[in-house]
């Protein structure tokens, strides 16, 4: 089987992290976002992954060569010269998708994190025998989204954009399985799966939905990245508790790379991921945060609800909170308060940032 991942654009919602690396290569729970997806696809029998990209293609290609060896899978880049929407990339990769056996193929949005029940998706898709299946997830506030209305069998009847009255609480989860015949619907132009292709398939009774079990999150912006991390760690606690840290300094769900150094008297957790070669000095308090590779947090500092980028340093007696996002190689001097700051790479911060949303350029 094959799979196409819609990597797409510039990752602007996840800046300043994506100023240093393409969004699919940003680490989520100590593994790049795209690796979580590739691992799930390999487990479902996929042998070739196509990445539809239009930003920093060489950086992606270099990383993908490593992933090919690691996962024993063929990875191909399909590069857009102009943004093609969510359907156009399928047409661009038509020749790759059409080569080999006539099998269904997966399509993923690149920001999605979940438990990826792909074998169940394949079974459901083959059972109904129609052209496409989209996974749906339940949300508490459907008025914020376009919702999916389907029969009990899963056959999709229509899509309703941001309904003001309750008609459904199921939304498109960004994970699909299609027969090759869908490619006949794709025109050689920028085109939307959600607005153009899916409604036509639904009218022809060719599109089904399957409810996604477990957690789901689009992690394409910092607030949701942290929420998704909490959901992922909770899932790990349930399914693979041996992967989480244990010991007197850890509270709740915490994921720590073995190379990280943790000082005395720390309180780590709940909901923290600590990347490779991080140094956490004595008396540090971390909660609901992600620390990327090579981060140093000096003694007696507090980091909460924040993302600290690669090789950055948080000084002594600092407080960083409020969904702050610290880019690569940032130096935060001692005794500063950072509240919801967005700090671009390679900066030295010598005064506090008390106002949320402040961008340090």
């Amino acid at each position: 089987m094959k799979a196409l991942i819609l990597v797409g654009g510039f990752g602007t919602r996840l800046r300043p992290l994506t100023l240093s690396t393409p969004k699919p290569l940003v680490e989520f729970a100590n593994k790049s976002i795209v690796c979580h997806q590739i691992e799930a696809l390999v487990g479902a029998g996929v042998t070739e992954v196509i990445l539809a990209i239009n930003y920093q293609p060489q950086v992606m290609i270099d990383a993908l060569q490593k992933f090919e060896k690691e996962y024993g899978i063929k990875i191909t880049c399909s590069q857009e010269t102009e943004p093609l929407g969510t359907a156009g990339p399928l047409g661009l990769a038509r020749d790759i998708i059409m080569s080999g056996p006539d099998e269904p193929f997966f399509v993923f949005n690149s920001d999605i994190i979940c438990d990826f029940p792909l074998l169940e998706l394949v079974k459901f898709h083959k059972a109904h025998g129609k052209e496409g299946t989209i996974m749906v997830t339940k949300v508490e506030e459907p008025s914020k989204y376009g919702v999916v209305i389907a029969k009990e069998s899963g056959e999709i009847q229509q899509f309703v954009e941001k309904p003001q009255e309750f008609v459904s609480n199921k939304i498109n989860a960004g994970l699909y399985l299609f027969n090759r015949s869908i490619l006949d619907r794709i025109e050689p132009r920028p085109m939307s799966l959600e607005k153009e292709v899916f409604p036509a398939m639904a009218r022809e009774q060719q599109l089904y939905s399957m409810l996604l079990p477990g957690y789901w999150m689009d992690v394409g912006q910092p607030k949701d990245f942290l929420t998704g991390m909490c959901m992922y760690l909770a899932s790990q606690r349930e399914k693979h508790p041996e992967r989480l840290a244990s010991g007197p300094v850890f509270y709740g769900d915490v994921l720590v790379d073995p190379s990280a150094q943790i000082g005395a008297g720390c309180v780590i957790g709940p909901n923290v991921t600590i990347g490779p070669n991080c140094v956490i000095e004595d008396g540090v308090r971390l909660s609901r945060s992600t620390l990327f590779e090579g981060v140093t947090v000096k003694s007696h500092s507090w980091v909460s609800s924040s993302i600290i980028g690669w090789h950055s340093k948080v000084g002594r007696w600092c407080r960083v909170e409020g969904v702050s996002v610290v880019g690569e190689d940032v130096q935060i001097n001692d005794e500063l308060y950072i509240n919801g700051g967005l700090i671009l790479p390679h900066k030295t911060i010598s005064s506090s940032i008390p106002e949320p949303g402040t961008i340090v350029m």
Side-chain angles (χ1 to χ4, degrees), residues 101-361:
D102 186 2
E103 297 177 306
F105 64 98
F106 294 99
V107 176
F108 282 11
N109 289 345
S110 67
D111 296 344
I112 301 305
I113 288 292
C114 64
D115 279 332
F116 299 109
L118 303 184
L119 293 174
E120 294 92 329
L121 175 58
V122 171
K123 183 178 179 181
F124 177 80
H125 179 78
K126 289 182 176 178
H128 68 65
K130 300 299 184 179
E131 192 169 77
T133 305
I134 75 174
M135 298 210 84
V136 296
T137 186
K138 291 182 178 179
V139 294
E140 291 183 1
E141 295 186 56
S143 61
K144 291 182 176 180
Y145 304 91
V147 299
V148 178
I149 300 176
K151 296 180 180 178
E152 291 243 349
S153 64
E155 181 190 318
I156 293 177
Q157 297 171 294
Q158 65 178 124
F159 299 87
V160 179
E161 189 64 29
K162 296 183 179 178
Q164 296 308 301
E165 295 183 2
F166 182 87
V167 290
S168 169
N169 63 347
K170 296 172 184 173
I171 65 167
N172 178 351
L175 305 173
Y176 317 122
L177 188 61
F178 299 133
N179 295 344
R180 286 177 172 182
S181 54
I182 194 176
L183 297 174
D184 297 333
R185 302 177 183 273
I186 311 297
E187 300 172 15
R189 61 176 177 85
M191 198 172 177
S192 167
L193 282 173
E194 298 83 357
K195 295 180 180 178
E196 297 176 79
V197 179
F198 289 167
M201 292 172 71
R203 286 193 296 271
E204 297 169 23
Q205 300 176 320
Q206 288 293 321
L207 189 61
Y208 274 65
S209 65
M210 175 183 161
L211 182 62
L212 177 71
Y215 78 98
W216 172 90
M217 183 54 65
D218 177 331
V219 296
Q221 55 187 344
K223 176 174 64 73
D224 296 336
F225 186 99
L226 291 170
T227 300
M229 176 197 69
C230 298
M231 293 176 170
Y232 174 84
L233 292 175
S235 177
Q236 293 296 296
R237 170 69 64 190
E238 183 181 327
K239 297 181 177 181
H240 301 286
E242 73 282 356
R243 296 179 182 174
L244 299 180
S246 60
V249 303
F250 301 113
Y251 298 84
D253 301 332
V254 178
L255 185 67
V256 181
D257 187 271
S259 63
Q261 301 174 42
I262 312 288
C266 293
V267 179
I268 312 292
N271 299 312
V272 171
T273 63
I274 298 175
N277 304 310
C278 288
V279 177
I280 312 301
E281 293 188 358
D282 297 349
V284 165
R285 176 73 171 98
L286 305 176
S287 67
R288 204 175 184 275
S289 295
T290 289
L291 277 57
F292 289 172
E293 181 175 4
V295 166
T296 297
V297 181
K298 293 191 172 266
S299 56
H300 307 294
S301 283
W302 161 294
V303 179
S304 177
S305 293
S306 295
I307 303 171
I308 311 297
W310 308 268
H311 308 290
S312 290
K313 289 183 172 63
V314 177
R316 293 175 181 83
W317 295 101
C318 287
R319 188 178 181 106
V320 182
E321 61 185 10
V323 196
S324 292
V325 184
V326 177
E328 180 185 16
D329 183 35
V330 168
Q331 172 78 48
I332 299 175
N333 289 345
D334 296 346
E335 300 181 16
L336 296 182
Y337 175 50
I338 311 296
N339 180 28
L342 303 175
I343 304 173
L344 273 62
H346 313 298
K347 302 297 177 186
T348 296
I349 305 302
S350 54
S351 58
S352 291
I353 304 173
E355 290 297 321
T358 301
I359 300 173
V360 179
M361 304 182 66

